[in-house]
Coordinates of all heavy atoms in Angstrom, one line a residue:
M30 N 15.7 -0.8 -2.7 CA 14.6 -0.4 -1.7 C 14.9 -1.1 -0.3 O 14.7 -0.6 0.7 CB 13.3 -0.6 -2.3 CG 12.3 0.2 -1.5 SD 12.5 1.8 -1.8 CE 11.1 2.4 -1.2
P31 N 15.2 -2.4 -0.3 CA 15.5 -3.0 0.9 C 16.6 -2.6 1.7 O 16.6 -2.7 3.0 CB 15.9 -4.6 0.5 CG 15.3 -4.8 -0.9 CD 15.3 -3.4 -1.4
E32 N 17.6 -1.9 1.2 CA 18.7 -1.3 1.9 C 18.1 -0.2 2.8 O 18.6 -0.1 3.9 CB 19.7 -0.7 0.9 CG 20.4 -1.8 0.2 CD 19.7 -2.1 -1.2 OE1 18.8 -1.3 -1.5 OE2 20.0 -3.2 -1.7
A33 N 17.3 0.6 2.3 CA 16.7 1.7 3.1 C 16.0 1.2 4.3 O 16.0 1.7 5.4 CB 15.8 2.6 2.2
T34 N 15.2 0.1 4.1 CA 14.5 -0.5 5.2 C 15.3 -1.0 6.3 O 15.2 -0.7 7.5 CB 13.5 -1.7 4.7 OG1 12.7 -1.1 3.7 CG2 12.6 -2.2 5.9
S35 N 16.5 -1.7 5.9 CA 17.4 -2.4 6.8 C 18.1 -1.2 7.6 O 18.4 -1.3 8.7 CB 18.3 -3.3 6.2 OG 19.1 -2.6 5.2
T36 N 18.4 0.0 6.8 CA 19.2 1.1 7.5 C 18.3 1.6 8.5 O 18.8 2.0 9.6 CB 19.6 2.2 6.3 OG1 20.3 1.4 5.4 CG2 20.3 3.2 7.0
Q37 N 17.0 1.9 8.2 CA 16.1 2.5 9.3 C 15.9 1.6 10.5 O 16.0 2.1 11.6 CB 14.7 2.8 8.6 CG 14.8 3.9 7.6 CD 13.4 4.0 6.9 OE1 12.5 3.2 7.1 NE2 13.3 5.1 6.1
T38 N 15.9 0.2 10.2 CA 15.8 -0.5 11.3 C 17.1 -0.6 12.2 O 17.1 -0.6 13.4 CB 15.5 -2.1 10.8 OG1 14.3 -2.1 10.0 CG2 15.3 -3.0 11.9
Q39 N 18.2 -0.6 11.6 CA 19.4 -0.6 12.3 C 19.6 0.8 13.1 O 20.0 0.8 14.2 CB 20.7 -0.7 11.4 CG 20.8 -2.1 10.8 CD 21.9 -2.2 9.7 OE1 22.4 -1.2 9.3 NE2 22.2 -3.4 9.3
G40 N 19.1 1.8 12.4 CA 19.2 3.1 13.2 C 18.4 3.2 14.3 O 18.7 3.7 15.5
A41 N 17.2 2.5 14.3 CA 16.2 2.5 15.4 C 16.9 1.6 16.5 O 16.8 2.0 17.8 CB 15.0 1.9 15.1
Q42 N 17.6 0.6 16.2 CA 18.2 -0.3 17.2 C 19.4 0.4 17.7 O 19.6 0.2 19.0 CB 18.6 -1.6 16.6 CG 17.4 -2.5 16.1 CD 17.8 -3.8 15.4 OE1 18.9 -3.9 15.0 NE2 16.7 -4.7 15.1
I43 N 20.1 1.2 17.0 CA 21.3 1.8 17.6 C 20.9 2.9 18.7 O 21.5 2.9 19.7 CB 22.1 2.6 16.5 CG1 22.7 1.4 15.5 CG2 23.1 3.5 17.1 CD1 23.4 2.0 14.3
H44 N 19.8 3.6 18.4 CA 19.4 4.6 19.4 C 18.5 3.9 20.5 O 18.2 4.6 21.5 CB 18.5 5.6 18.7 CG 19.3 6.5 17.7 ND1 20.3 7.2 18.1 CD2 19.3 6.5 16.4 CE1 20.9 7.8 17.1 NE2 20.3 7.5 16.0
G45 N 18.3 2.7 20.4 CA 17.5 2.1 21.6 C 16.1 2.3 21.4 O 15.2 1.9 22.4
T46 N 15.6 2.7 20.4 CA 14.1 3.0 20.2 C 13.5 1.9 19.3 O 14.3 1.5 18.4 CB 13.8 4.4 19.8 OG1 14.4 4.6 18.5 CG2 14.2 5.4 20.8
Q47 N 12.4 1.6 19.2 CA 11.7 0.7 18.4 C 10.6 1.3 17.8 O 9.7 1.8 18.4 CB 11.3 -0.6 19.2 CG 10.9 -1.7 18.2 CD 10.6 -3.0 19.1 OE1 10.1 -2.8 20.2 NE2 11.0 -4.1 18.6
T48 N 10.4 1.3 16.4 CA 9.3 1.9 15.8 C 8.1 1.0 15.8 O 8.3 -0.1 15.6 CB 9.7 2.1 14.3 OG1 10.0 1.0 13.7 CG2 10.8 3.2 14.1
Q49 N 7.0 1.6 16.2 CA 5.8 0.8 16.2 C 4.8 1.4 15.2 O 4.6 2.6 15.1 CB 5.1 1.0 17.7 CG 6.0 0.4 18.7 CD 5.4 0.6 20.1 OE1 4.3 1.3 20.1 NE2 6.1 0.1 21.1
L50 N 4.0 0.4 14.6 CA 3.0 0.9 13.7 C 1.8 1.3 14.4 O 1.4 0.6 15.3 CB 2.6 -0.3 12.7 CG 3.8 -0.6 11.8 CD1 3.2 -1.9 11.0 CD2 4.1 0.5 10.9
R51 N 1.2 2.4 14.1 CA -0.1 2.9 14.8 C -1.2 2.4 14.1 O -1.4 2.6 13.0 CB 0.0 4.4 14.9 CG 1.2 4.9 15.8 CD 1.0 6.4 15.9 NE -0.1 6.6 17.0 CZ -0.3 7.8 17.4 NH1 0.3 8.8 17.1 NH2 -1.2 7.8 18.3
V52 N -2.2 1.8 14.8 CA -3.3 1.3 14.0 C -4.4 2.4 14.2 O -4.7 2.8 15.3 CB -3.9 0.0 14.7 CG1 -5.1 -0.5 14.1 CG2 -2.9 -1.0 14.6
P53 N -5.0 2.8 13.1 CA -6.0 3.9 13.2 C -7.3 3.5 13.8 O -7.7 2.2 13.6 CB -6.2 4.3 11.7 CG -5.7 3.2 10.9 CD -4.7 2.5 11.7
R54 N -7.9 4.2 14.6 CA -9.1 3.8 15.3 C -10.2 4.9 15.2 O -9.7 6.0 15.0 CB -8.9 3.4 16.8 CG -8.4 4.6 17.6 CD -8.0 4.1 18.9 NE -7.6 5.4 19.7 CZ -8.1 5.9 20.8 NH1 -9.2 5.3 21.3 NH2 -7.7 6.9 21.4
L55 N -11.4 4.4 15.1 CA -12.5 5.5 14.9 C -12.7 6.2 16.3 O -13.1 5.6 17.3 CB -13.7 4.7 14.5 CG -15.0 5.6 14.3 CD1 -14.7 6.6 13.1 CD2 -16.2 4.7 14.0
T56 N -12.7 7.5 16.2 CA -13.0 8.3 17.3 C -13.6 9.6 16.8 O -13.2 10.1 15.7 CB -11.8 8.5 18.3 OG1 -12.3 9.3 19.3 CG2 -10.8 9.2 17.5
L57 N -14.5 10.1 17.5 CA -15.2 11.3 17.1 C -14.5 12.5 18.0 O -14.9 13.7 17.8 CB -16.7 11.4 17.3 CG -17.4 10.3 16.5 CD1 -18.8 10.4 16.9 CD2 -17.3 10.6 15.1
N58 N -13.7 12.2 18.9 CA -13.1 13.2 19.9 C -11.7 13.4 19.6 O -10.9 13.2 20.4 CB -13.3 12.7 21.3 CG -14.8 12.5 21.7 OD1 -15.6 13.1 21.2 ND2 -15.0 11.6 22.6
T59 N -11.4 14.0 18.4 CA -10.0 14.2 18.0 C -9.4 15.5 18.7 O -8.3 15.7 18.5 CB -9.9 14.2 16.5 OG1 -10.8 15.4 16.0 CG2 -10.3 13.1 15.8
D60 N -10.2 16.2 19.3 CA -9.7 17.4 20.0 C -9.3 17.2 21.4 O -8.9 18.2 22.1 CB -10.8 18.6 19.9 CG -12.0 18.3 20.7 OD1 -12.3 17.0 21.0 OD2 -12.8 19.1 20.9
G61 N -9.4 15.9 21.8 CA -8.9 15.5 23.2 C -9.9 15.8 24.3 O -9.7 15.5 25.4
Q62 N -11.0 16.2 24.0 CA -12.1 16.4 25.0 C -13.3 15.5 24.7 O -13.5 15.1 23.6 CB -12.7 18.0 25.0 CG -11.7 18.8 25.2 CD -12.2 20.4 25.1 OE1 -13.3 20.5 24.8 NE2 -11.2 21.2 25.2
R63 N -14.1 15.1 25.7 CA -15.3 14.3 25.6 C -16.5 15.1 25.2 O -16.7 16.2 25.7 CB -15.5 13.6 26.9 CG -14.4 12.7 27.3 CD -14.7 12.0 28.6 NE -16.0 11.2 28.4 CZ -16.9 11.1 29.1 NH1 -17.0 11.9 30.3 NH2 -18.0 10.3 29.1
H64 N -17.3 14.7 24.2 CA -18.5 15.3 23.8 C -19.6 14.3 23.8 O -20.0 13.9 22.7 CB -18.4 15.9 22.5 CG -17.1 16.8 22.3 ND1 -17.1 18.0 22.8 CD2 -16.0 16.6 21.8 CE1 -16.0 18.6 22.6 NE2 -15.3 17.8 21.9
P65 N -20.1 13.8 24.9 CA -21.1 12.6 24.9 C -22.4 13.0 24.2 O -23.0 12.2 23.5 CB -21.2 12.2 26.3 CG -20.7 13.4 27.2 CD -19.7 14.1 26.3
Q66 N -22.9 14.2 24.4 CA -24.1 14.5 23.9 C -24.0 14.8 22.3 O -24.9 14.3 21.5 CB -24.7 15.8 24.5 CG -25.2 15.7 25.9 CD -24.1 15.9 26.9 OE1 -23.0 16.3 26.5 NE2 -24.4 15.7 28.1
L67 N -23.1 15.3 22.0 CA -22.7 15.5 20.5 C -22.5 14.2 19.8 O -22.8 14.0 18.7 CB -21.5 16.5 20.2 CG -21.9 18.1 20.5 CD1 -20.5 18.7 20.5 CD2 -22.9 18.6 19.8
N68 N -21.7 13.3 20.4 CA -21.5 11.9 19.8 C -22.8 11.3 19.8 O -22.9 10.6 18.7 CB -20.5 11.2 20.7 CG -19.1 11.8 20.6 OD1 -18.8 12.7 19.8 ND2 -18.2 11.4 21.5
A69 N -23.6 11.3 20.7 CA -25.0 10.6 20.6 C -25.8 11.3 19.5 O -26.5 10.6 18.7 CB -25.7 10.9 22.0
A70 N -25.8 12.6 19.4 CA -26.6 13.2 18.3 C -25.9 12.8 17.0 O -26.7 12.5 16.0 CB -26.5 14.7 18.5
T71 N -24.7 12.7 16.9 CA -24.1 12.2 15.6 C -24.5 10.8 15.2 O -24.8 10.6 14.1 CB -22.5 12.3 15.7 OG1 -22.2 13.7 16.1 CG2 -21.8 12.0 14.5
A72 N -24.5 10.0 16.2 CA -24.9 8.6 16.0 C -26.3 8.4 15.6 O -26.7 7.7 14.7 CB -24.6 7.8 17.3
V73 N -27.1 9.2 16.2 CA -28.6 9.2 15.9 C -28.8 9.7 14.5 O -29.6 9.2 13.7 CB -29.4 10.0 17.0 CG1 -30.9 10.3 16.4 CG2 -29.4 9.4 18.3
T74 N -28.1 10.8 14.0 CA -28.2 11.3 12.8 C -27.7 10.4 11.8 O -28.4 10.1 10.7 CB -27.4 12.7 12.7 OG1 -27.9 13.7 13.6 CG2 -27.6 13.3 11.3
F75 N -26.5 9.7 11.9 CA -26.1 8.8 11.0 C -26.8 7.6 10.8 O -27.2 7.2 9.7 CB -24.6 8.5 11.4 CG -23.9 7.7 10.3 CD1 -23.4 8.2 9.1 CD2 -23.6 6.3 10.5 CE1 -22.8 7.4 8.0 CE2 -23.0 5.5 9.5 CZ -22.6 6.2 8.4
L76 N -27.0 6.9 12.0 CA -27.9 5.7 11.9 C -29.3 5.9 11.5 O -30.0 5.1 10.8 CB -27.9 5.0 13.2 CG -26.5 4.5 13.7 CD1 -26.5 3.9 15.1 CD2 -25.9 3.6 12.7
G77 N -30.0 7.0 11.9 CA -31.3 7.3 11.5 C -31.3 7.7 10.0 O -32.3 7.4 9.3
G78 N -30.3 8.3 9.5 CA -30.2 8.7 8.1 C -30.2 7.4 7.2 O -30.8 7.3 6.2
I79 N -29.4 6.4 7.6 CA -29.2 5.2 7.0 C -30.6 4.4 7.0 O -31.1 4.0 5.9 CB -28.1 4.3 7.6 CG1 -26.8 5.1 7.5 CG2 -28.0 3.0 7.0 CD1 -26.3 5.2 6.0
A80 N -31.2 4.4 8.1 CA -32.6 3.8 8.2 C -33.6 4.5 7.4 O -34.4 3.8 6.8 CB -33.1 3.7 9.7
G81 N -33.6 5.9 7.3 CA -34.5 6.6 6.5 C -34.3 6.4 5.1 O -35.3 6.2 4.3
F82 N -33.1 6.2 4.8 CA -32.8 6.0 3.2 C -33.3 4.5 2.9 O -33.9 4.4 1.8 CB -31.2 6.0 3.1 CG -30.9 5.7 1.6 CD1 -31.2 6.5 0.5 CD2 -30.3 4.5 1.4 CE1 -30.8 6.2 -0.7 CE2 -29.9 4.2 0.1 CZ -30.1 5.0 -0.9
A83 N -33.0 3.5 3.8 CA -33.4 2.2 3.5 C -34.9 2.0 3.4 O -35.5 1.3 2.5 CB -32.8 1.3 4.6
L84 N -35.6 2.8 4.3 CA -37.1 2.8 4.3 C -37.7 3.4 3.2 O -38.8 3.2 2.7 CB -37.6 3.2 5.7 CG -37.4 2.4 6.9 CD1 -37.8 3.1 8.2 CD2 -38.3 1.1 6.8
G85 N -37.0 4.4 2.7 CA -37.4 5.3 1.5 C -37.5 4.5 0.3 O -38.1 4.7 -0.7
L86 N -36.7 3.4 0.2 CA -36.6 2.5 -1.0 C -37.8 1.5 -1.0 O -38.1 1.0 -2.0 CB -35.3 1.7 -0.9 CG -34.0 2.5 -1.1 CD1 -32.8 1.6 -1.0 CD2 -34.0 3.3 -2.5
V87 N -38.4 1.3 0.2 CA -39.6 0.4 0.3 C -40.8 1.2 0.0 O -41.1 2.2 0.9 CB -39.6 -0.3 1.7 CG1 -40.8 -1.1 1.8 CG2 -38.3 -1.0 1.9
V88 N -41.6 1.0 -1.0 CA -42.8 1.7 -1.2 C -43.8 1.6 -0.2 O -44.4 2.8 0.1 CB -43.4 1.1 -2.7 CG1 -44.7 1.9 -2.9 CG2 -42.4 1.3 -3.7
N89 N -44.0 0.5 0.4 CA -45.1 0.6 1.5 C -44.7 1.2 2.8 O -45.6 1.4 3.6 CB -45.4 -1.0 1.8 CG -46.0 -1.7 0.7 OD1 -46.7 -1.0 -0.1 ND2 -45.9 -3.1 0.5
A90 N -43.5 1.5 2.9 CA -43.0 2.1 4.2 C -42.9 3.7 4.0 O -42.0 4.3 4.6 CB -41.7 1.7 4.6
H91 N -43.6 4.4 3.1 CA -43.5 5.8 2.8 C -43.9 6.6 3.9 O -43.1 7.7 4.1 CB -44.4 6.1 1.5 CG -45.8 5.8 1.7 ND1 -46.7 6.7 2.4 CD2 -46.6 4.8 1.4 CE1 -47.9 6.2 2.3 NE2 -47.9 5.0 1.9
L92 N -44.9 6.3 4.8 CA -45.1 7.1 5.9 C -44.0 7.2 7.0 O -43.5 8.2 7.4 CB -46.3 6.7 6.6 CG -46.8 7.4 7.8 CD1 -47.1 8.9 7.6 CD2 -48.0 6.7 8.4
V93 N -43.4 6.0 7.3 CA -42.3 5.9 8.2 C -41.1 6.6 7.6 O -40.4 7.4 8.4 CB -42.0 4.4 8.6 CG1 -40.7 4.4 9.5 CG2 -43.2 3.8 9.2
A94 N -40.8 6.3 6.4 CA -39.6 6.9 5.8 C -39.7 8.5 5.7 O -38.7 9.2 6.0 CB -39.4 6.5 4.3
S95 N -40.9 9.0 5.5 CA -41.1 10.5 5.4 C -40.9 11.1 6.8 O -40.2 12.1 6.9 CB -42.6 10.8 4.9 OG -42.8 10.2 3.6
I96 N -41.6 10.6 7.8 CA -41.4 11.1 9.1 C -40.1 10.9 9.7 O -39.4 11.9 10.3 CB -42.5 10.3 10.2 CG1 -43.8 10.7 9.7 CG2 -42.1 10.7 11.5 CD1 -44.9 9.8 10.4
L97 N -39.5 9.7 9.6 CA -38.1 9.5 10.0 C -37.2 10.4 9.4 O -36.2 11.0 10.0 CB -37.6 8.1 9.9 CG -36.3 7.8 10.4 CD1 -36.2 7.9 12.0 CD2 -35.9 6.3 10.1
G98 N -37.1 10.6 7.9 CA -36.3 11.3 7.2 C -36.3 12.9 7.7 O -35.4 13.5 7.9
I99 N -37.6 13.3 7.8 CA -37.6 14.8 8.2 C -37.2 15.0 9.7 O -36.6 16.0 9.9 CB -39.1 15.3 8.1 CG1 -39.5 15.2 6.5 CG2 -39.4 16.6 8.7 CD1 -41.0 15.4 6.2
A100 N -37.5 14.1 10.5 CA -37.0 14.3 12.0 C -35.5 14.2 12.0 O -34.8 14.9 12.7 CB -37.7 13.1 12.8
V101 N -34.9 13.2 11.3 CA -33.4 13.1 11.3 C -32.7 14.3 10.6 O -31.7 14.9 11.1 CB -32.9 11.7 10.7 CG1 -31.5 11.8 10.5 CG2 -33.5 10.6 11.5
V102 N -33.3 14.9 9.6 CA -32.7 16.2 9.0 C -32.7 17.2 10.0 O -31.8 18.0 10.2 CB -33.5 16.5 7.7 CG1 -33.1 17.9 7.3 CG2 -33.2 15.5 6.6
G103 N -33.8 17.4 10.8 CA -33.8 18.5 11.9 C -32.9 18.1 12.9 O -32.2 19.2 13.4
I104 N -32.8 17.0 13.4 CA -31.9 16.6 14.5 C -30.4 16.8 14.1 O -29.5 17.4 14.7 CB -31.9 15.2 14.9 CG1 -33.3 15.0 15.7 CG2 -30.9 14.7 15.8 CD1 -33.7 13.5 15.9
G105 N -30.2 16.5 12.7 CA -28.8 16.5 12.2 C -28.4 18.0 11.9 O -27.3 18.5 12.2
M106 N -29.4 18.9 11.7 CA -29.1 20.4 11.5 C -28.7 21.0 12.9 O -27.8 21.7 12.9 CB -30.3 21.1 10.9 CG -30.5 20.8 9.4 SD -29.2 21.3 8.4 CE -29.9 20.9 6.9
V107 N -29.4 20.6 13.9 CA -29.0 21.1 15.2 C -27.6 20.5 15.6 O -26.9 21.2 16.2 CB -30.1 20.7 16.3 CG1 -29.6 21.0 17.7 CG2 -31.4 21.4 15.9
A108 N -27.5 19.2 15.5 CA -26.2 18.7 15.8 C -25.1 19.3 15.0 O -23.9 19.5 15.5 CB -26.2 17.1 15.4
Q109 N -25.3 19.6 13.7 CA -24.3 20.3 12.9 C -24.0 21.6 13.5 O -22.7 22.1 13.5 CB -24.7 20.4 11.5 CG -23.7 21.1 10.5 CD -22.6 20.1 10.1 OE1 -22.5 19.0 10.5 NE2 -21.7 20.7 9.3
L110 N -24.9 22.4 13.9 CA -24.8 23.5 14.6 C -23.8 23.7 15.8 O -22.9 24.5 15.9 CB -26.2 24.2 15.0 CG -26.0 25.7 15.5 CD1 -25.8 26.6 14.5 CD2 -27.4 26.0 16.2
F111 N -23.9 22.5 16.6 CA -23.1 22.5 17.9 C -21.8 21.5 17.7 O -21.1 21.2 18.7 CB -23.9 21.9 19.0 CG -24.9 23.0 19.4 CD1 -26.3 22.7 19.1 CD2 -24.6 24.2 19.9 CE1 -27.3 23.6 19.5 CE2 -25.6 25.1 20.2 CZ -26.9 24.8 20.0
S112 N -21.6 20.9 16.5 CA -20.5 19.9 16.3 C -19.2 20.6 16.7 O -18.9 21.8 16.5 CB -20.5 19.4 15.0 OG -20.3 20.3 14.0
A113 N -18.3 19.8 17.2 CA -17.0 20.3 17.7 C -15.8 19.8 16.8 O -14.7 20.5 16.8 CB -16.8 19.9 19.2
T114 N -16.0 18.7 16.3 CA -14.8 18.1 15.6 C -15.2 17.8 14.1 O -16.3 17.7 13.7 CB -14.3 16.9 16.2 OG1 -15.3 15.8 16.1 CG2 -13.9 17.0 17.6
R115 N -14.1 17.8 13.3 CA -14.3 17.4 11.8 C -15.0 16.0 11.6 O -15.9 15.9 10.7 CB -13.0 17.4 11.1 CG -13.1 17.0 9.7 CD -11.7 17.0 9.0 NE -11.8 16.6 7.6 CZ -11.8 15.4 7.1 NH1 -11.6 14.5 8.1 NH2 -11.8 15.1 5.9
E116 N -14.6 15.1 12.4 CA -15.2 13.8 12.2 C -16.7 13.8 12.5 O -17.4 13.1 11.9 CB -14.4 12.7 13.2 CG -13.1 12.4 12.7 CD -12.0 13.5 12.9 OE1 -12.3 14.5 13.7 OE2 -10.9 13.5 12.3
Q117 N -17.2 14.5 13.5 CA -18.5 14.6 13.8 C -19.2 15.2 12.6 O -20.3 14.6 12.2 CB -18.7 15.4 15.1 CG -18.4 14.8 16.3 CD -18.7 15.8 17.5 OE1 -18.6 16.9 17.4 NE2 -18.5 15.2 18.8
R118 N -18.7 16.2 12.1 CA -19.4 16.8 10.9 C -19.5 15.9 9.7 O -20.5 16.0 9.0 CB -18.6 18.1 10.5 CG -18.6 19.2 11.6 CD -17.9 20.4 11.3 NE -17.8 21.2 12.5 CZ -16.6 21.6 13.2 NH1 -15.5 21.1 12.6 NH2 -16.6 22.3 14.2
V119 N -18.5 15.1 9.6 CA -18.6 14.2 8.4 C -19.6 13.2 8.5 O -20.5 13.0 7.6 CB -17.2 13.5 8.2 CG1 -17.3 12.3 7.3 CG2 -16.0 14.4 7.8
F120 N -19.9 12.6 9.6 CA -20.9 11.7 9.9 C -22.3 12.3 10.0 O -23.2 11.8 9.5 CB -20.7 10.9 11.2 CG -19.6 9.7 11.1 CD1 -18.4 9.9 11.6 CD2 -20.0 8.6 10.4 CE1 -17.5 8.9 11.4 CE2 -19.1 7.6 10.4 CZ -17.7 7.7 10.8
I121 N -22.4 13.6 10.5 CA -23.6 14.2 10.5 C -24.0 14.6 9.1 O -25.2 14.4 8.8 CB -23.4 15.6 11.4 CG1 -23.2 15.2 12.9 CG2 -24.7 16.5 11.1 CD1 -23.0 16.3 13.8
V122 N -23.2 15.1 8.2 CA -23.5 15.5 6.9 C -24.0 14.2 6.2 O -24.9 14.3 5.3 CB -22.5 16.3 6.3 CG1 -22.7 16.4 4.8 CG2 -22.3 17.7 6.9
A123 N -23.2 13.1 6.4 CA -23.7 11.9 5.6 C -25.1 11.4 6.1 O -25.8 11.0 5.3 CB -22.6 10.8 6.0
G124 N -25.3 11.6 7.4 CA -26.8 11.1 7.9 C -27.7 12.2 7.3 O -29.0 11.7 7.0
I125 N -27.4 13.5 7.3 CA -28.4 14.4 6.8 C -28.8 14.1 5.4 O -29.9 14.2 4.9 CB -28.0 15.9 7.0 CG1 -27.9 16.3 8.4 CG2 -28.7 16.8 6.3 CD1 -27.3 17.6 8.7
I126 N -27.8 13.9 4.5 CA -27.9 13.6 3.2 C -28.7 12.3 2.9 O -29.8 12.3 2.3 CB -26.6 13.5 2.4 CG1 -25.9 14.9 2.4 CG2 -26.8 12.9 1.0 CD1 -24.5 14.8 1.9
A127 N -28.4 11.2 3.7 CA -29.2 10.0 3.5 C -30.6 10.2 4.0 O -31.6 9.7 3.4 CB -28.5 8.8 4.4
A128 N -30.9 11.0 5.1 CA -32.3 11.1 5.6 C -33.0 12.0 4.6 O -34.2 11.7 4.4 CB -32.1 11.9 6.9
G129 N -32.5 13.0 4.0 CA -32.9 13.8 3.0 C -33.4 13.1 1.9 O -34.6 13.2 1.3
V130 N -32.6 12.2 1.4 CA -33.0 11.3 0.2 C -34.0 10.3 0.7 O -35.0 10.1 -0.2 CB -31.7 10.6 -0.3 CG1 -32.1 9.5 -1.3 CG2 -30.7 11.5 -0.9
G131 N -34.0 9.7 1.9 CA -35.1 8.9 2.3 C -36.3 9.5 2.4 O -37.4 9.0 2.1
A132 N -36.4 10.8 3.0 CA -37.7 11.5 3.1 C -38.1 12.0 1.7 O -39.4 11.8 1.5 CB -37.2 12.8 4.0
G133 N -37.3 12.2 0.8 CA -37.9 12.5 -0.6 C -38.4 11.3 -1.3 O -39.4 11.3 -1.9
L134 N -37.7 10.2 -1.0 CA -38.3 9.0 -1.7 C -39.6 8.6 -1.0 O -40.5 8.1 -1.7 CB -37.2 7.7 -1.6 CG -36.0 7.8 -2.4 CD1 -35.1 6.8 -2.0 CD2 -36.4 7.6 -3.8
G135 N -39.7 8.7 0.3 CA -40.9 8.5 1.1 C -42.0 9.4 0.6 O -43.0 8.9 0.4
L136 N -41.8 10.7 0.5 CA -42.8 11.6 -0.1 C -43.1 11.3 -1.5 O -44.3 11.4 -1.8 CB -42.2 13.0 0.0 CG -42.1 13.7 1.4 CD1 -41.3 14.9 1.4 CD2 -43.4 13.7 2.1
A137 N -42.2 10.8 -2.3 CA -42.5 10.5 -3.8 C -43.4 9.2 -3.8 O -44.1 9.0 -4.7 CB -41.2 10.2 -4.5
H138 N -43.2 8.3 -2.9 CA -44.0 7.1 -2.9 C -45.4 7.1 -2.2 O -46.1 6.3 -2.1 CB -43.1 5.9 -2.1 CG -42.0 5.5 -2.9 ND1 -42.1 4.5 -3.9 CD2 -40.8 5.9 -2.8 CE1 -40.8 4.3 -4.3 NE2 -40.0 5.1 -3.7
G139 N -45.7 8.4 -1.7 CA -47.1 8.7 -1.2 C -47.1 9.5 0.0 O -48.2 9.9 0.4
G140 N -45.9 9.8 0.6 CA -45.8 10.8 1.6 C -46.6 10.4 3.0 O -46.5 9.3 3.4
F141 N -47.4 11.3 3.4 CA -48.2 11.2 4.6 C -49.6 10.5 4.3 O -50.3 10.4 5.2 CB -48.3 12.4 5.3 CG -47.0 13.1 5.7 CD1 -46.5 14.2 5.1 CD2 -46.3 12.5 6.7 CE1 -45.2 14.7 5.5 CE2 -45.0 13.0 7.1 CZ -44.6 14.2 6.4
G142 N -49.9 10.2 3.1 CA -51.3 9.9 2.7 C -51.4 8.3 2.7 O -50.6 7.5 2.8

């Protein structure tokens, strides 16, 4: 196996090019265009879903969890409707699921009462 690595390195040096490792980075704009409103809606949905889920686990925060969860599910559905890239859709769906579970837990712990 080391022979193959050294051959590739020598081949790159012969042609005058150097291979570089690409470090993956998180971006929601994989289509090459900017989507600031959609990215903001994606962030609100994802972070709100995480917060709604965390609050749904706390029994005394059932009112906040219920309201936040239902609001984030609505925001997430609209964001999903207008989403432009796969990465946005992944984060939006994760946020919707977390918010739905948080809202369900909040409703189970007492809901709006």
Side-chain angles (χ1 to χ4, degrees):
M30 198 72 173
E32 296 84 17
T34 305
S35 64
T36 304
Q37 290 175 351
T38 304
Q39 290 174 355
Q42 291 174 353
I43 290 172
H44 295 293
T46 60
Q47 191 175 35
T48 58
Q49 296 178 357
L50 295 176
R51 298 185 75 173
V52 178
R54 60 188 180 120
L55 178 65
T56 180
L57 297 176
N58 301 326
T59 56
D60 62 346
Q62 299 177 6
R63 295 180 63 230
H64 309 285
Q66 291 89 4
L67 290 174
N68 291 343
T71 301
V73 166
T74 302
F75 185 72
L76 296 175
I79 298 298
F82 177 75
L84 288 171
L86 295 174
V87 179
V88 176
N89 291 334
H91 59 86
L92 178 63
V93 177
S95 300
I96 293 171
L97 182 65
I99 292 171
V101 169
V102 167
I104 293 169
M106 289 296 185
V107 173
Q109 181 73 1
L110 181 68
F111 294 111
S112 63
T114 64
R115 178 184 177 271
E116 287 75 14
Q117 288 173 343
R118 293 180 192 112
V119 168
F120 281 103
I121 290 169
V122 169
I125 289 172
I126 291 170
V130 171
L134 288 170
L136 290 170
H138 289 273
F141 299 109

